[in-house]
Short mmCIF file of all heavy atoms in Angstrom, two decimals:
data_model
loop_
_atom_site.label_atom_id
_atom_site.label_comp_id
_atom_site.label_asym_id
_atom_site.label_seq_id
_atom_site.Cartn_x
_atom_site.Cartn_y
_atom_site.Cartn_z
N SER B 75 23.07 -10.03 -0.21
CA SER B 75 23.46 -11.43 0.00
C SER B 75 22.41 -12.18 0.82
O SER B 75 22.29 -13.40 0.72
CB SER B 75 24.82 -11.51 0.68
OG SER B 75 24.75 -10.99 2.01
N ALA B 76 21.65 -11.45 1.63
CA ALA B 76 20.61 -12.05 2.46
C ALA B 76 19.21 -11.80 1.91
O ALA B 76 18.23 -12.16 2.55
CB ALA B 76 20.70 -11.50 3.88
N SER B 77 19.13 -11.16 0.74
CA SER B 77 17.82 -10.83 0.12
C SER B 77 16.91 -10.12 1.12
O SER B 77 15.71 -10.42 1.21
CB SER B 77 17.13 -12.10 -0.41
OG SER B 77 17.91 -12.72 -1.40
N THR B 78 17.48 -9.21 1.86
CA THR B 78 16.74 -8.55 2.93
C THR B 78 16.86 -7.04 2.83
O THR B 78 17.96 -6.52 2.61
CB THR B 78 17.24 -9.03 4.31
OG1 THR B 78 17.06 -10.44 4.41
CG2 THR B 78 16.47 -8.36 5.44
N ALA B 79 15.73 -6.38 2.99
CA ALA B 79 15.70 -4.92 3.04
C ALA B 79 15.36 -4.48 4.46
O ALA B 79 14.73 -5.22 5.23
CB ALA B 79 14.65 -4.38 2.06
N TYR B 80 15.83 -3.26 4.79
CA TYR B 80 15.63 -2.74 6.13
C TYR B 80 15.08 -1.32 6.06
O TYR B 80 15.45 -0.54 5.18
CB TYR B 80 16.96 -2.70 6.90
CG TYR B 80 17.63 -4.05 7.05
CD1 TYR B 80 18.56 -4.47 6.10
CD2 TYR B 80 17.32 -4.88 8.11
CE1 TYR B 80 19.16 -5.71 6.21
CE2 TYR B 80 17.94 -6.12 8.24
CZ TYR B 80 18.85 -6.53 7.28
OH TYR B 80 19.46 -7.75 7.38
N MET B 81 14.24 -1.00 7.03
CA MET B 81 13.71 0.36 7.18
C MET B 81 14.01 0.81 8.60
O MET B 81 13.59 0.15 9.56
CB MET B 81 12.20 0.38 6.92
CG MET B 81 11.54 1.76 6.94
SD MET B 81 11.22 2.44 8.58
CE MET B 81 10.06 1.23 9.23
N GLU B 82 14.76 1.90 8.72
CA GLU B 82 15.04 2.48 10.03
C GLU B 82 14.34 3.82 10.13
O GLU B 82 14.51 4.68 9.25
CB GLU B 82 16.53 2.66 10.27
CG GLU B 82 16.83 3.25 11.67
CD GLU B 82 18.30 3.53 11.90
OE1 GLU B 82 18.98 3.98 10.94
OE2 GLU B 82 18.77 3.32 13.03
N LEU B 83 13.58 4.01 11.21
CA LEU B 83 12.90 5.27 11.46
C LEU B 83 13.37 5.81 12.80
O LEU B 83 13.34 5.09 13.81
CB LEU B 83 11.38 5.07 11.46
CG LEU B 83 10.50 6.32 11.55
CD1 LEU B 83 10.74 7.23 10.34
CD2 LEU B 83 9.02 5.94 11.63
N ARG B 84 13.79 7.06 12.80
CA ARG B 84 14.39 7.67 13.99
C ARG B 84 13.48 8.72 14.61
O ARG B 84 12.48 9.12 14.02
CB ARG B 84 15.72 8.33 13.59
CG ARG B 84 16.74 7.35 13.04
CD ARG B 84 18.01 8.08 12.57
NE ARG B 84 17.78 8.91 11.39
CZ ARG B 84 17.73 8.44 10.15
NH1 ARG B 84 17.88 7.16 9.91
NH2 ARG B 84 17.52 9.27 9.13
N SER B 85 13.85 9.14 15.81
CA SER B 85 13.12 10.21 16.53
C SER B 85 11.63 9.90 16.58
O SER B 85 10.79 10.73 16.21
CB SER B 85 13.37 11.57 15.85
OG SER B 85 14.75 11.86 15.81
N LEU B 86 11.31 8.72 17.04
CA LEU B 86 9.93 8.26 17.03
C LEU B 86 9.05 9.08 17.96
O LEU B 86 9.47 9.51 19.04
CB LEU B 86 9.87 6.79 17.46
CG LEU B 86 10.50 5.78 16.50
CD1 LEU B 86 10.61 4.42 17.16
CD2 LEU B 86 9.70 5.69 15.20
N THR B 87 7.80 9.29 17.53
CA THR B 87 6.76 9.91 18.34
C THR B 87 5.54 9.00 18.33
O THR B 87 5.49 8.03 17.56
CB THR B 87 6.36 11.29 17.81
OG1 THR B 87 5.64 11.12 16.57
CG2 THR B 87 7.57 12.18 17.55
N SER B 88 4.56 9.34 19.14
CA SER B 88 3.35 8.51 19.18
C SER B 88 2.67 8.47 17.81
O SER B 88 1.99 7.50 17.48
CB SER B 88 2.38 9.04 20.23
OG SER B 88 2.05 10.38 19.97
N GLY B 89 2.88 9.49 17.01
CA GLY B 89 2.31 9.53 15.66
C GLY B 89 2.90 8.51 14.71
O GLY B 89 2.38 8.30 13.62
#
Side-chain angles (χ1 to χ4, degrees):
Chain B
S75 66
S77 299
T78 301
Y80 301 92
M81 185 281 297
E82 181 184 38
L83 187 61
R84 298 176 292 280
S85 302
L86 293 169
T87 71
S88 58

